[in-house]
Amino acid sequence: MIEVNDLKKAKEVEIFGELAKHDHEQLIFCHDSQTGLKAIISIHNTVLGPALGGTRMWNYTSDAEALHDVLRLARGMTYKAAISGLNLGGGKAVIIGDVDKIKNEALLRRFGKFVESLNGKYVTAEDMNMTPSDMEYIAMETKHVTGLSESIGGGGDPSPVTAYGVYVGMKASAKKAYGNDSLEGKRISVQGVGSVGMHLLEYLSKEKAKLFVSDYNEGRLHSAAKKYKAHPIGLDEIYNLEVDIYSPCAMGATINDNTIDRMRCKIIAGAANNQLDDEVLHGKMLASRGIIYAPDFLINAGGLINVGIDYLGGWSKERAYRKTEKIYQTTIDILNLAEKEGIHTHDAAMKLAKKRISDIAGLK
Ligand code: NAD
């Protein structure tokens, strides 16, 4: 993986070198003087199908930082789609700039034209700093967009489906740890009670789990505590709390050198992307401490499943939930594979995802 600081130091970015590192297929730089659009679309792998991944708008400090982000995110989408049994590849797009200053109809529609020019090889959706109405502007210029609101015929907000996938992945992990998948009486801490965290609490409270919640946002914290009879806890306190399950549903990289030794949980199962600060090192550290880690890109795939079915056709809420429910069995399979082969669970999940891609690539 390229480090931003290294890139800054480098005289020039070795673009093809970066593509070769993780075998990315294609990179598209989009520029338009009239609207001020600067965007990068990264297509990592299209063996299983068109590369689907959201468009993120961010005020990157350098083009190299934007490049680093889009390559990393596109690669993540490949394995998330593969492990979820979707006939989709992995891609992602970033639009560079300050949302408040540059985002407008013309810029978004210009971006839509670039997406359209790829003839469906890349399919876009919502990501950070993009709203459903932004996606509607993009959709005016391309049909290769998904995740539109239900009111205009799309699959709508992916968060409830994501929460459902996290919930079933958590239950599967409980079955592995305790011999049955009931969460009744289990102490569960949920970090971040935003769109996904709040829906997750609904499932957990129905199962009569003992809930602990943390969030920067005082309003959300208190409404979650009140609605679900959860105990509010401090932002840092969450890492020391003795619980059965820790569920990171806020930001990534919370499993790191500073937190692992403080954790007193049996299971980690949450929605956040890239929970392991270092996939290899921290995956191994969790395994050696006997903590069951439900791989993030597997159990938070409900949202992708929702938009994926929407794009591929035949979407219904029931179908999206039914496919998401399969995360339960896949989690069990991965935890068993990790145990059998003496590898950590993130590794086991990657192994299964890569196997599906190479099996399909080998079809005559
Ligand atoms: P959100 O922005 O609605 O909610 C995140 C919440 O976390 C906010 O309430 C925020 O105040 C809180 N938060 C931020 N930093 C925190 C901290 N240090 N401690 C405690 N709380 C903190 O986001 P979301 O849509 O609920 O997504 C949650 C996570 O799941 C994100 O990492 C997202 O990338 C990932 N994810 C979401 C989806 C989806 O369908 N929404 C799908 C896959 C992955």
Side-chain angles (χ1 to χ4, degrees), residues 80 158-159 162 191-197 214-217 220 235 249-251 271-273 300:
K80 193 183 281 209
S159 308
T162 301
Q191 181 179 44
V193 285
S195 313
V196 180
S214 77
D215 201 300
Y216 273 121
N217 184 310
R220 264 187 235 149
L235 292 176
C249 294
M251 70 289 184
N273 284 310
N300 74 10

Coordinates of all heavy atoms in Angstrom, one line a residue, residues 80 158-159 162 191-197 214-217 220 235 249-251 271-273 300, ligand 1:
K80 N -15.6 -7.4 -1.2 CA -16.9 -7.4 -0.5 C -18.0 -8.0 -1.4 O -18.8 -8.8 -1.0 CB -17.2 -5.9 -0.2 CG -18.4 -5.8 0.8 CD -18.8 -4.4 1.0 CE -17.9 -3.7 2.0 NZ -18.6 -2.6 2.8
P158 N -29.5 2.2 2.3 CA -28.9 0.9 2.5 C -28.7 0.5 4.0 O -28.5 -0.6 4.4 CB -27.6 0.9 1.8 CG -27.2 2.4 1.8 CD -28.5 3.1 1.8
S159 N -28.7 1.6 4.9 CA -28.3 1.4 6.3 C -29.1 0.3 7.0 O -28.5 -0.5 7.8 CB -28.4 2.7 7.1 OG -27.8 3.7 6.4
T162 N -27.8 -3.0 5.9 CA -26.4 -3.2 6.5 C -26.5 -3.6 8.0 O -25.8 -4.6 8.4 CB -25.6 -1.9 6.4 OG1 -25.5 -1.5 5.1 CG2 -24.2 -2.0 7.0
Q191 N -20.4 1.2 19.2 CA -19.6 2.5 19.1 C -20.2 3.2 17.8 O -20.0 2.8 16.7 CB -18.2 2.1 18.9 CG -17.3 3.3 18.7 CD -15.8 2.9 18.5 OE1 -15.5 2.0 17.8 NE2 -14.9 3.6 19.2
G192 N -20.9 4.3 18.1 CA -21.5 5.0 17.0 C -23.0 4.6 16.8 O -23.2 3.5 16.3
V193 N -23.9 5.5 17.1 CA -25.3 5.2 16.9 C -25.9 6.1 15.8 O -26.8 6.9 16.0 CB -26.1 5.3 18.2 CG1 -25.7 4.1 19.1 CG2 -25.8 6.6 19.0
G194 N -25.3 6.0 14.6 CA -25.7 6.7 13.5 C -26.7 5.9 12.7 O -27.5 5.1 13.3
S195 N -26.7 6.0 11.4 CA -27.8 5.3 10.6 C -27.7 3.8 10.9 O -28.8 3.2 11.1 CB -27.5 5.5 9.1 OG -27.3 6.8 8.9
V196 N -26.5 3.2 10.8 CA -26.5 1.7 11.0 C -26.6 1.3 12.5 O -27.4 0.4 12.8 CB -25.1 1.1 10.4 CG1 -25.1 -0.4 10.6 CG2 -25.0 1.5 9.0
G197 N -25.9 2.0 13.3 CA -25.9 1.7 14.8 C -27.3 1.7 15.4 O -27.6 0.8 16.1
S214 N -21.8 4.5 22.7 CA -21.0 5.7 22.7 C -21.2 6.4 21.4 O -21.4 5.8 20.4 CB -19.5 5.3 22.9 OG -19.0 4.9 21.7
D215 N -21.2 7.8 21.5 CA -21.2 8.6 20.3 C -20.8 10.0 20.6 O -21.0 10.5 21.7 CB -22.6 8.6 19.7 CG -22.6 9.0 18.2 OD1 -22.2 10.1 17.9 OD2 -23.1 8.2 17.4
Y216 N -20.1 10.7 19.7 CA -19.8 12.1 19.8 C -21.0 12.9 19.9 O -21.0 13.9 20.6 CB -19.1 12.5 18.5 CG -17.6 12.3 18.4 CD1 -17.1 11.5 17.4 CD2 -16.8 12.9 19.4 CE1 -15.7 11.3 17.3 CE2 -15.4 12.7 19.3 CZ -14.9 11.9 18.2 OH -13.5 11.7 18.1
N217 N -22.0 12.5 19.2 CA -23.2 13.3 19.0 C -24.1 13.1 20.3 O -24.7 12.0 20.4 CB -23.9 12.9 17.7 CG -25.1 13.7 17.4 OD1 -26.0 13.9 18.3 ND2 -25.2 14.2 16.2
R220 N -27.9 12.1 19.6 CA -28.1 10.7 19.2 C -27.8 9.7 20.3 O -28.5 8.8 20.5 CB -27.2 10.4 18.0 CG -27.9 10.6 16.7 CD -27.1 10.1 15.6 NE -26.9 11.2 14.6 CZ -25.9 11.3 13.9 NH1 -24.9 10.5 13.9 NH2 -25.9 12.3 13.0
L235 N -16.3 8.0 25.1 CA -15.8 7.7 23.8 C -14.6 6.7 23.9 O -14.4 5.8 23.1 CB -15.3 8.9 23.1 CG -16.5 9.9 22.6 CD1 -15.9 11.1 22.0 CD2 -17.4 9.2 21.6
C249 N -19.3 0.7 15.0 CA -20.2 1.2 13.9 C -20.0 2.7 13.7 O -20.9 3.4 13.4 CB -21.7 1.0 14.3 SG -22.1 -0.8 14.4
A250 N -18.7 3.2 13.9 CA -18.5 4.6 13.6 C -17.4 4.7 12.6 O -17.7 4.8 11.4 CB -18.0 5.2 15.0
M251 N -16.1 4.7 13.0 CA -15.0 4.9 12.0 C -14.1 3.7 12.0 O -14.2 2.8 12.9 CB -14.2 6.2 12.4 CG -13.4 6.1 13.6 SD -14.3 6.1 15.1 CE -13.0 6.2 16.3
A271 N -20.2 -2.6 11.9 CA -20.4 -2.1 10.5 C -19.3 -1.3 9.9 O -19.2 -1.2 8.7 CB -21.6 -1.3 10.5
A272 N -18.4 -0.8 10.8 CA -17.4 0.2 10.2 C -16.5 -0.5 9.2 O -16.2 -1.8 9.3 CB -16.5 0.7 11.4
N273 N -16.1 0.2 8.2 CA -15.1 -0.3 7.2 C -13.7 -0.3 7.7 O -13.4 0.6 8.5 CB -15.2 0.5 5.9 CG -16.5 0.3 5.1 OD1 -16.8 -0.9 4.8 ND2 -17.2 1.3 4.8
N300 N -20.7 -6.3 6.9 CA -21.3 -5.0 6.6 C -21.7 -4.9 5.1 O -22.0 -3.8 4.6 CB -20.4 -3.8 7.0 CG -19.2 -3.6 6.1 OD1 -19.1 -4.2 5.0 ND2 -18.3 -2.7 6.5
Ligands
NAD1 P1 -23.2 7.6 10.3 O1 -22.4 8.8 9.9 O2 -24.7 7.7 10.1 O3 -23.0 7.3 11.8 C1 -21.8 7.2 12.5 C2 -21.9 7.6 13.9 O4 -20.7 7.4 14.6 C3 -22.3 9.1 14.0 O5 -23.4 9.2 14.9 C4 -21.0 9.7 14.6 O6 -21.3 10.8 15.5 C5 -20.5 8.6 15.4 N1 -19.0 8.6 15.7 C6 -18.0 9.1 14.9 N2 -16.8 8.9 15.5 C7 -17.1 8.3 16.7 C8 -16.3 7.9 17.8 N3 -15.0 8.0 17.8 N4 -16.9 7.3 18.8 C9 -18.2 7.1 18.9 N5 -19.0 7.5 17.9 C10 -18.5 8.1 16.8 O7 -22.6 6.4 9.5 P2 -23.3 5.0 9.2 O8 -24.0 5.1 7.9 O9 -24.1 4.6 10.4 O10 -22.1 4.0 9.1 C11 -21.3 3.6 10.2 C12 -20.1 2.9 9.7 O11 -20.4 1.8 8.9 C13 -19.2 3.8 8.8 O12 -17.8 3.4 9.1 C14 -19.5 3.4 7.4 O13 -18.5 3.5 6.5 C15 -19.8 1.9 7.7 N6 -20.7 1.3 6.7 C16 -22.0 1.9 6.5 C17 -22.8 1.3 5.6 C18 -24.2 1.9 5.4 O14 -25.1 1.2 4.8 N7 -24.5 3.0 5.9 C19 -22.5 0.2 4.8 C20 -21.2 -0.4 5.0 C21 -20.3 0.2 6.0

